[in-house]
């Protein structure tokens, strides 16, 4: 008899509750859980294909260990012996920085990824840490770090209550939202319009989201920081600045006024290709709205001025009094956040505490740019060792980061590489050991990351829907064992890792005056923890120490794991509320509106006033039925409009003599690829668009469906040299490209410099 089980969807940031139908141990169906306190039954085509993604026969079932150059099935014991034997000599001989840790996107979608990577990094003490964040939202972390003193304090647009939403470089109708966890983002935009609110979308493409908008501004890619600076200038010039309740918590308003004085609408119009009147209207509409929220995503981050654009998004929210108020942009308070300390000055946020060995890129939030991973492996310098071993967890940088060909070669030269990945793909094929996590039906789910970005405070936990299959190891245990193997403790019981974290956390909490457990005995507290295993006990501890927790009995109505388990559809913790000044950790204890590093980067923006790409520039796009590089192996999610084609505007196509459907050579600084042309007026003139995550045609992978329609790797067009300097984020959008005859060779004839924007 089929049964049902609840499972939060791990496939995107919307975190929808699913009701799975299960026949034996197989997931045969998935529908939205109507009783989920947050998602209320919403589901998208990816969630509906949960069963197919879960049961993909190409998912690895056992560890693989390389012997005589060939990856072969092995036992878990053999695999971890090989990991310890591969990693430790590198650490001992060349030091910790010779081990690179690469974390990919799915870490933010797993319990294991939330709980163990910090221990791996702390244990290894390597500076060679890279993640998908520097292909994504690092500019936002840096701007939040500088403005609020906390790189994790990211304000979320209050979609359900705002009167005016200004959406920049985001396409939630395909992506379902990002840095704003909102199940049914599309429905929430429609509701905004239905209640008389207005939606403005800034995007070089007329996306499905843009088609919902009252106003769509097809900005020239990479110029949002200029546009937003000009809007800021208008607010000052026309006396529209009104901080309202925020005033006591903000410093530096006058400094910002002076800093943006040159960026008039007239000055930015040509660079942005947006008329000065339109810029003025955007600023006036924002200021006039009863409440408004400015929200920027991928298109505003993965560009040369990503940190400045991210900063200006928040500056506009502050200057219009919309930061930290209902209807504006608010700071969530998640159930596993630490219990808030009293407001007051903090330590602030530092950038560049160390630098990358080869190009001297500054670290940001402890990370080096993943764009620099290849050179950190393949380039020797006088100082320090190149990276000789890599630990990759849920990461496919060969496709997701710039210049995959170079990285592909570099990974092939490592002394040792381990991948924690369910697939043998473009990246994991280089590993000496592959450790496959179980499919999601066999894993629990808790959103440590996305609850801190959710548009409503709520908490939900789902245990594994299906028991671990024989021979499988939970990803939490895989990562705990990996931490031990990497830090010279191979052979220790993995449960010791959780016990150590619990002892340390409770030991610290009892010393903190504001903690609900101040002064108590940590052993007595540890004995109270419930849960079936170490990760669950850690979750119980975090919930109980958190802002809604029971404080181990001091607030008897508060949250515990037991209470959460008794509410399988989740517990609603209420709408977001104003929280300032408590979240601020700047040295001044205020919002520091013009931080030094930002002021230092403004001359580069001023220079961009005169820059214009001479030819075509490339932007990306997402499709509802895809997810980065790893869902192309699920037949139900491929085909139809989800294809790797080059979107070209009809006028550009005519000028260049392009034919719809015919292949064309696209060349950038890092190489060339051939993709079919798709002529569409959804891209603006001068812009072409290719999606990322494709290029499944390398040998030695095991993705039998994906190879049938491999597409091409858009990131091969990049050479990894274009970065946002403050955050180290890769420039993935607004990149100059040429369209050339089909027989053009792979390697570029011109250098990156020749293709860079010209006056
Ligand atoms: N040109 C261009 N490039 C981009 C982007 C873009 O917009 N344009 N977007 C960027 C963004 S935003 C991101 S986040 C990155 C993503 O970059 P990555 O994180 O490198 O890539 P993903 O495709 O998300 O997949 C990572 C790996 O996780 C594995 N995986 C899936 N589920 C699990 C699991 O449960 N456990 C483990 N251990 N592994 C799992 C997959 O098999 C895959 O190998 O790509 C970036 N690259
Ligand atoms: N279906 C699906 N959903 C996903 C993913 C996926 O791959 N597929 N990936 C997930 C991940 S890892 C992330 S980070 C999120 C990302 O979520 P979003 O940020 O919503 O991602 P995109 O759909 O790529 O939207 C980015 C938009 O920016 C536009 N753009 C490009 N350059 C510029 C520019 O210079 N200025 C402006 N204003 N706009 C520009 C592009 O045309 C595009 O429409 O999506 C997540 N959800
Ligand atoms: S919107 Fe995202 S979380 Fe919701 S069902 Fe679709 S993929 Fe899953
Ligand atoms: Mo992402």
């Amino acid at each position: 008899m089929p049964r049902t089980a609840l499972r939060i969807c791990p496939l995107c940031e919307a975190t929808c509750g699913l009701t799975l139908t299960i026949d034996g141990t197989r997931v045969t169906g998935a529908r939205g859980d109507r009783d989920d306190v947050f998602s209320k039954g919403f589901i998208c085509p990816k969630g509906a294909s949960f069963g197919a993604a879960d049961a993909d026969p190409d998912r690895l079932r056992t560890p693989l260990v390389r012997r005589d150059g060939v990856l072969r099935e092995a036992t878990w014991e053999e695999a971890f012996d090989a990991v310890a034997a591969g990693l430790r000599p590198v650490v001992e001989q060349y030091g910790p920085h010779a081990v690179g840790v690469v974390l990919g996107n799915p870490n933010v979608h797993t319990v294991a990824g939330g709980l163990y990577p910090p221990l791996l990094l702390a244990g290894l003490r390597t500076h060679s840490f890279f993640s998908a964040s520097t292909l994504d939202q690092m500019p936002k972390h840096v701007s939040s770090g500088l403005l609020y003193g906390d790189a994790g304090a990211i304000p979320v647009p209050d979609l359900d209550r705002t009167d005016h939403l200004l959406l920049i470089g985001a396409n939630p109708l395909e992506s379902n939202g990002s840095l704003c966890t909102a199940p049914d983002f599309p429905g929430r935009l429609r509701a905004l319009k239905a209640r008389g609110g207005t939606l403005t979308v800034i995007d070089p493409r007329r996306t499905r989201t843009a088609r919902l908008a009252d106003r769509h501004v097809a900005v020239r890619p990479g110029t949002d920081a200029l546009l937003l600076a000009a809007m800021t200038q208008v607010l000052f010039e026309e006396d529209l600045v009104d901080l309202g309740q925020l005033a006591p918590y903000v410093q530096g308003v006058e400094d910002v006024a002076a800093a943006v004085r040159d960026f008039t609408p007239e000055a930015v119009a040509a660079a942005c290709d947006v008329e000065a009147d339109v810029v003025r209207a955007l600023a006036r509409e924002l200021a006039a709205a009863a409440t408004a929220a400015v929200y920027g995503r991928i298109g505003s981050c993965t560009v040369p001025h990503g940190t400045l654009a991210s900063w200006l998004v928040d500056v506009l929210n502050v200057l219009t009094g919309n930061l930290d108020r209902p209807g504006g942009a608010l700071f969530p308070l998640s159930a596993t956040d630490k219990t808030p300390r009293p407001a007051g000055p903090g330590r602030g946020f530092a950038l560049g505490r160390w630098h990358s060995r080869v190009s001297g890129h500054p670290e940001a939030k402890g990370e080096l740019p993943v764009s620099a991973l290849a050179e950190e492996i393949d380039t020797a310098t006088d100082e320090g060792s190149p990276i000789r071993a890599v630990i990759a967890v849920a990461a496919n940088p060969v496709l997701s980061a710039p210049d995959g060909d170079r990285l592909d070669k570099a990974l092939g030269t490592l002394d040792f590489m381990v991948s924690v990945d369910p697939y043998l793909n473009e990246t994991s094929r280089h590993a000496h050991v592959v450790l496959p996590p179980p499919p999601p039906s066999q894993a629990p789910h808790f959103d440590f990351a996305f609850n801190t970005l959710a548009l409503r405070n709520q908490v939900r936990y789902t245990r594994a829907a299906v028991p671990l299959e024989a021979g499988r190891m939970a990803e939490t245990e895989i990562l705990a064992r990996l931490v031990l193997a990497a830090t010279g403790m191979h052979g220790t019981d993995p449960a010791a890792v959780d016990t150590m974290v619990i002892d340390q956390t409770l030991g610290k909490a009892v010393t903190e005056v504001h903690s609900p457990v101040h002064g108590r005995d940590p052993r007595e507290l540890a004995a109270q923890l419930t849960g079936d295993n170490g990760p669950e006990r850690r979750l119980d501890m975090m919930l109980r120490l958190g802002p809604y927790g029971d404080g181990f009995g001091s607030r008897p109505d508060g949250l515990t794991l037991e209470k959460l388990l008794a509410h399988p559809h989740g517990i609603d913790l209420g709408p977001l509320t104003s929280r300032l000044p408590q979240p601020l950790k700047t040295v001044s204890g205020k919002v520091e509106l013009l931080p030094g590093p930002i002021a230092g980067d403004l001359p580069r923006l001023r220079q961009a006033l005169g820059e214009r790409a001479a030819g075509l520039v490339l932007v990306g796009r997402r499709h509802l039925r895809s997810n980065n590089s790893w869902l192309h192996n699920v037949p139900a999610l491929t085909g139809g409009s989800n294809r790797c084609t080059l979107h070209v505007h009809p006028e550009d196509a005519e000028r260049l003599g392009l034919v719809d459907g015919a292949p064309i050579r696209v060349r950038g600084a890092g190489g060339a690829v051939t993709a079919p042309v798709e002529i569409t007026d959804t891209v603006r003139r001068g812009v072409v668009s290719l999606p990322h995550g494709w290029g499944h045609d390398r040998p030695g992978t095991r993705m039998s469906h994906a190879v049938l329609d491999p597409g091409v790797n858009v990131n091969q067009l990049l050479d990894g040299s274009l970065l946002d300097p403050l955050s180290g984020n890769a420039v993935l959008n607004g990149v100059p490209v040429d369209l050339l005859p089909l027989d053009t060779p792979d390697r570029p004839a011109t250098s990156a410099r020749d293709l860079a924007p010209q006056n």
Side-chain angles (χ1 to χ4, degrees):
M1 261 307 277
R3 62 184 177 96
T4 61
L6 300 175
R7 212 293 180 190
I8 299 165
C9 180
L11 298 176
C12 90
E13 299 184 30
T15 72
C16 303
L18 305 179
T19 305
L20 304 179
T21 311
I22 297 166
D23 202 346
T25 56
R26 214 163 56 85
V27 178
T28 53
R31 54 179 205 276
D33 170 16
R34 254 171 285 147
D35 299 319
D36 184 288
V37 295
F38 193 28
S39 64
K40 304 200 162 111
F42 180 77
I43 189 172
C44 86
K46 278 204 298 295
S49 299
F50 180 98
D54 195 72
D56 185 346
D58 281 337
R59 279 181 185 266
L60 301 172
R61 289 173 171 270
T62 68
L64 303 177
V65 175
R66 192 174 296 276
R67 291 208 184 89
D68 307 321
V70 183
L71 280 171
R72 296 175 205 277
E73 297 195 348
T75 65
W76 289 100
E77 205 180 310
E78 289 165 336
F80 282 106
D81 285 348
V83 173
L87 287 176
R88 288 312 296 170
V90 173
V91 178
E92 277 147 29
Q93 197 173 342
Y94 303 102
H97 310 318
V99 179
V101 174
V102 185
L103 302 180
N105 171 272
N107 280 298
V108 283
H109 297 276
T110 63
V111 168
L115 294 180
Y116 298 90
L119 306 174
L120 180 66
L121 291 162
L124 267 175
R125 305 171 70 88
T126 176
H127 284 173
S128 304
F129 170 33
F130 309 83
S131 89
S133 292
T134 52
L135 301 166
D136 187 348
Q137 82 290 357
M138 190 57 90
K140 196 75 213 171
H141 288 306
V142 171
S143 77
S144 280
L146 295 170
L147 281 162
Y148 314 122
D150 179 356
I154 295 178
V156 171
D158 194 1
L159 304 181
D160 294 345
R161 292 180 289 185
T162 194
D163 297 289
H164 180 74
L165 180 66
L166 176 58
L167 209 144
I168 303 156
N171 187 10
L173 265 79
E174 306 282 359
S175 70
N176 276 305
S178 180
L179 299 188
C180 172
T181 287
D184 196 12
F185 206 128
R188 293 173 200 266
L189 294 183
R190 289 186 193 103
L192 160 74
K193 297 199 61 179
R195 67 176 179 268
T198 47
L199 173 66
T200 300
V201 172
I202 302 183
D203 196 309
R205 300 188 308 120
R206 197 174 70 255
T207 60
R208 285 174 60 214
T209 307
R211 271 174 255 167
L212 275 185
D214 299 281
R215 185 196 280 277
H216 169 217
V217 178
V219 71
R220 194 195 301 276
T223 64
D224 298 86
L226 290 170
L227 182 77
L228 300 176
M231 288 175 62
T232 308
Q233 192 274 344
V234 173
L235 292 182
F236 284 110
E237 185 188 73
E238 301 191 1
D239 211 8
L240 297 173
V241 171
D242 180 4
L243 272 66
Q245 309 283 329
L246 278 177
Y249 311 127
V250 182
Q251 68 167 43
V253 174
E254 288 313 310
D255 299 331
V256 172
V260 299
R261 197 159 288 146
D262 305 351
F263 296 95
T264 62
E266 284 72 19
V268 306
C272 300
D273 201 9
V274 176
E275 285 172 25
D277 285 351
V278 172
V279 181
R280 288 217 158 74
L282 290 171
R284 289 172 190 157
E285 286 163 9
L286 187 67
T291 61
V294 186
Y295 161 71
R297 215 37 292 279
I298 281 285
S300 68
C301 284
T302 53
V303 287
H305 305 282
T307 301
L308 292 182
S310 296
W311 163 71
L312 284 161
V313 162
D314 286 25
V315 165
L316 286 168
N317 282 326
V318 168
L319 296 179
T320 52
N322 282 302
L323 185 79
D324 197 46
R325 78 165 170 195
L330 293 143
F331 297 100
L333 185 62
S334 136
T336 51
D337 282 347
K338 296 209 183 83
T339 288
R341 65 168 179 77
R347 269 196 228 139
F349 174 75
L351 279 169
R353 293 164 297 172
W354 56 87
H355 291 78
S356 71
R357 187 179 50 84
V358 179
S359 292
H361 297 300
E363 66 71 41
K365 205 171 163 267
E367 301 192 25
L368 296 175
V370 71
S371 298
L373 174 60
E375 69 179 23
E376 289 294 312
I377 299 172
D378 70 17
T379 309
T381 55
D382 293 343
E383 244 176 88
S385 165
I387 292 173
R388 308 188 72 110
V390 161
I391 301 173
V393 184
N396 192 7
V398 169
L399 292 189
S400 52
D403 197 354
D405 286 350
R406 179 174 178 184
L407 185 58
D408 198 37
K409 283 200 196 79
L411 294 177
T413 67
L414 291 169
D415 292 356
F416 183 75
M417 172 169 170
V418 51
S419 273
V420 182
D421 206 288
Y423 287 105
L424 192 59
N425 65 14
E426 297 76 15
T427 297
S428 61
R429 75 193 183 104
H430 288 294
H432 297 82
V433 178
V434 184
L435 304 169
S441 62
Q442 296 175 33
H445 192 91
F446 188 88
D447 283 298
F448 292 105
F450 297 120
N451 286 346
T452 71
L453 296 161
L455 124 154
R456 201 171 164 90
N457 292 320
Q458 41 70 44
V459 60
R460 296 165 297 154
Y461 175 60
T462 47
R463 280 181 163 163
V466 173
L468 267 188
E469 192 182 6
R472 289 280 190 190
M473 185 181 279
E475 189 163 10
T476 45
E477 183 176 339
I478 295 174
L479 292 195
R481 286 183 186 271
L482 185 61
V483 171
L484 294 170
T487 54
M489 293 194 284
H490 178 48
T492 307
D493 178 2
V497 174
D498 300 310
T499 307
M500 183 199 71
V501 173
I502 288 169
D503 290 349
Q504 284 180 357
T505 311
L506 292 174
K508 184 156 179 277
V510 296
T511 67
E512 290 171 334
V513 184
H514 66 273
S515 168
V517 296
H518 180 240
R520 290 175 64 181
D521 173 7
R523 278 161 309 182
E524 173 248 327
L525 301 177
Q528 288 189 31
L529 292 174
T530 68
D532 282 355
N533 47 44
E536 281 200 347
R537 276 191 288 280
R538 285 175 65 185
L539 175 58
D540 189 32
M541 173 182 71
M542 292 166 83
L543 292 169
R544 299 174 81 167
L545 289 178
Y548 311 91
D550 84 332
F552 289 82
S554 63
R555 296 181 296 228
D557 291 345
L559 270 181
T560 61
L561 177 65
E562 265 178 4
K563 183 165 173 181
L564 191 50
L565 286 168
H567 293 80
H569 305 284
I571 298 175
D572 183 51
L573 300 169
L576 304 190
T577 53
S578 302
R579 291 186 52 205
L580 288 183
Q582 189 281 324
L584 302 175
K585 294 180 186 158
T586 49
V587 174
S588 63
K590 301 211 171 192
V591 176
E592 297 180 356
L593 209 57
L594 185 62
I598 295 280
D601 199 25
L602 282 171
R604 200 172 55 90
L605 187 64
R606 199 159 286 121
Q607 208 177 328
L609 283 169
E611 285 169 359
R612 217 111 50 241
L616 294 170
V617 295
L618 175 84
V619 300
R621 67 177 190 270
R622 281 175 161 76
H623 190 280
L624 183 57
R625 287 181 302 124
S626 81
N627 189 34
N628 297 335
S629 75
W630 68 276
L631 280 184
H632 296 144
N633 209 48
V634 181
L637 296 176
T638 52
S641 55
N642 183 13
R643 291 180 57 231
C644 186
T645 58
L646 184 78
H647 283 183
V648 186
H649 189 271
E651 283 177 23
D652 290 322
E654 198 185 316
R655 182 170 51 83
L656 297 164
L658 305 182
V659 179
D660 192 65
I664 182 77
R665 201 90 178 121
V666 191
R667 190 177 67 180
V673 299
T674 302
V677 169
E678 187 174 339
I679 299 176
T680 164
D681 66 0
T682 57
V683 280
R684 52 161 284 162
R685 286 172 204 84
V687 176
V688 293
S689 167
L690 254 186
H692 72 285
W694 295 87
H696 306 291
D697 52 0
R698 293 177 199 264
T701 64
R702 200 178 300 167
M703 309 272 291
S704 52
H705 181 71
V707 297
L708 301 178
D709 187 8
V712 294
N713 178 11
V714 64
N715 287 324
Q716 199 49 52
L717 302 174
L718 309 171
D719 66 2
S721 67
L722 291 179
L723 299 178
D724 169 44
L726 286 178
S727 64
N729 208 91
V731 174
L732 304 170
N733 281 293
V735 180
V737 291
D738 291 331
L739 301 190
L740 299 161
L742 277 186
D743 52 7
T744 311
D746 274 9
R747 280 288 129 196
T750 43
S751 73
R753 199 152 310 223
D754 296 330
L755 288 163
Q758 284 148 21
N759 287 329

